Amino acid sequence: MKKSLISLFVAAAIASPLANAQTVNLAEAVTMSLSADPRIKEREQLVESARALLDEAQGNNGLRISANVFVGLAPAVSGGFYQNGATSGTTPRSDGPFPGGLSDWTSLQFSIIKPLYTFGKIEHYSEAAKGNIDVKRGDVRISQADTVMDVKRAYYGYLTARDSRRLLEDVQGKLNDALSRVLRNLKADNGESKQSDLYALQAANGMLAKYHSQAQAIEKISLDGLKLLTGVGLDANLTVADDSLTPVALPKGSLTDFENTAVANRPEMAQLEAGMRARRALVAAKKSENYPNLYAGVIGQANYASRRDTLNNPYVYDPFNNAGLTPVVGMKWDMVQDVSNAQIAQAQAELEALNYKTQFAQAGIPFQVSEAYNQVQANYDALKQLADGAAAGRRWMIASLADFSAGLEKADKVADALKTYALTQAEYLRTVNDYNMDVAQLSRAIGETN
């Protein structure tokens, strides 16, 4: 019974890391990163902030309530109905209880105003706020594109480093076999190997060891970057689904097709259009600040002093003890002419600056597409040539090792064959990585986010 329990615990301990392991392909890694990246969430919150600005602009068309209430002191009354504290009329009162005849006084002034017409202020500021929302949405799309590029860079970089490490370990094993043979021959002093053979193979071994260490470091760094981007955490057990690095499909379409797609789809173009719309609205809003606001509403006030009695006399007004309410229709200016003109000039200049930026973007985006397109074509042709070269290098290596085993080849030639194959195959892997990233860059340049 105890043995059975121990076996279960051991099995559970072995299975636990496997159960927690997570394997993802590139599409899954991109999806996870788009959901986890805090940079995207930051941009999304800025969109919400822009929406709040729109609500603020539109809210200025609603009721405006102003109220002020305070407690103070009412002075002693002199003259009129009262002379020297004595009643001289028909309405009694008493001063105090504070020194000097002061008494308490509570006052309330309030107004409820509804704008009727603002000469376009609310409409123009609202339109500017809507354009700002679209600009912030474009920032979200740009941040998403940045994340996709980071994920692809980490994913392809990991596959490249892993395949390079495997390649170097394979070549290292064959080199070790050759080294062992040379050492045996030198120890036996049978004349089949020379000391220079040992030095040639040891030199090649040092070079391979360097590249192997670099590949291991890049493999670890790339996988950690992928863990960070996908949000699983650096301590998570994450693996990739691809067994090896392979070139992605060559994008279909002409350069002109890609350039037209970019102009239509790039978030920067949509941002510039939205920015122009917002700036034009802002210029119009600043100009409308020179005009008044028409409004209707209700204003009123109430004052109360506990030591004073209400005077029911239309000819006598006591500012410390009264109440009043009236509907109003009015017109209100709130501007400083010189400041308003400066604000208009500033908004107009910013609009013109954005117009020049748009002109540059319309020329620069096609250039970015052309650059990425030509890089894709160049690396696509290069990797086909390198694939043939790497295959020839491997045949050379195998043939040299076979001849060396048969005593027909010198060690320095074997070392050259090993190094040439390793470097050619490593260069092929690097070119595949560059090609895949160029395809990713082309997708981004035409406005695709995946």
Side-chain angles (χ1 to χ4, degrees), residues 182-374:
V182 169
L183 289 171
R184 286 196 305 269
N185 291 337
L186 290 175
K187 185 176 182 181
D189 196 17
N190 54 17
E192 293 184 10
S193 299
K194 298 180 294 184
Q195 194 68 32
S196 60
D197 294 334
L198 177 64
Y199 297 152
L201 293 176
Q202 285 177 335
N205 184 62
M207 186 66 68
L208 290 176
K210 171 197 171 184
Y211 291 132
H212 182 264
S213 298
Q214 291 177 338
Q216 282 183 313
I218 296 173
E219 182 181 6
K220 178 66 168 60
I221 293 170
S222 298
L223 186 60
D224 284 346
L226 195 60
K227 291 178 180 179
L228 176 66
L229 291 167
T230 54
V232 300
L234 294 178
D235 296 330
N237 188 1
L238 183 70
T239 58
V240 300
D242 294 79
D243 294 327
S244 61
L245 178 69
T246 56
V248 298
L250 182 68
K252 302 296 183 181
S254 66
L255 176 57
T256 302
D257 294 334
F258 291 131
E259 289 174 344
N260 293 335
T261 301
V263 172
N265 292 347
R266 279 285 288 268
E268 292 90 342
M269 295 302 296
Q271 279 186 306
L272 288 170
E273 189 279 329
M276 291 288 291
R277 189 174 72 249
R279 289 297 179 186
R280 284 192 291 266
L282 192 59
V283 171
K286 293 301 182 182
K287 290 180 179 179
S288 66
E289 293 287 354
N290 289 325
Y291 299 96
N293 295 330
L294 303 180
Y295 67 90
V298 176
I299 61 173
Q301 67 172 356
N303 295 279
Y304 174 71
S306 64
R307 310 292 292 185
R308 297 190 182 210
D309 294 325
T310 302
L311 300 176
N312 296 317
N313 189 322
Y315 301 103
V316 178
Y317 169 71
D318 185 357
F320 298 100
N321 200 8
N322 66 84
L325 179 70
T326 179
V328 295
V329 175
M331 182 182 299
K332 182 176 182 293
W333 279 267
D334 187 10
M335 70 171 183
V336 180
Q337 185 65 47
D338 292 340
V339 173
S340 178
N341 292 338
Q343 290 176 340
I344 293 172
Q346 179 185 7
Q348 186 67 46
E350 291 174 348
L351 175 61
E352 293 300 325
L354 189 60
N355 184 43
Y356 287 119
K357 188 174 183 178
T358 301
Q359 294 178 18
F360 180 79
Q362 289 173 342
I365 286 178
F367 171 77
Q368 291 178 353
V369 175
S370 176
E371 181 183 28
Y373 177 83
N374 287 305

Side-chain angles (χ1 to χ4, degrees), residues 57 120-130 281-282 285-286 289:
K121 297 183 184 69
I122 294 174
E123 292 81 0
H124 294 317
Y125 280 119
S126 296
E127 182 62 24
K130 290 176 183 177
L282 192 59
K286 293 301 182 182
E289 293 287 354

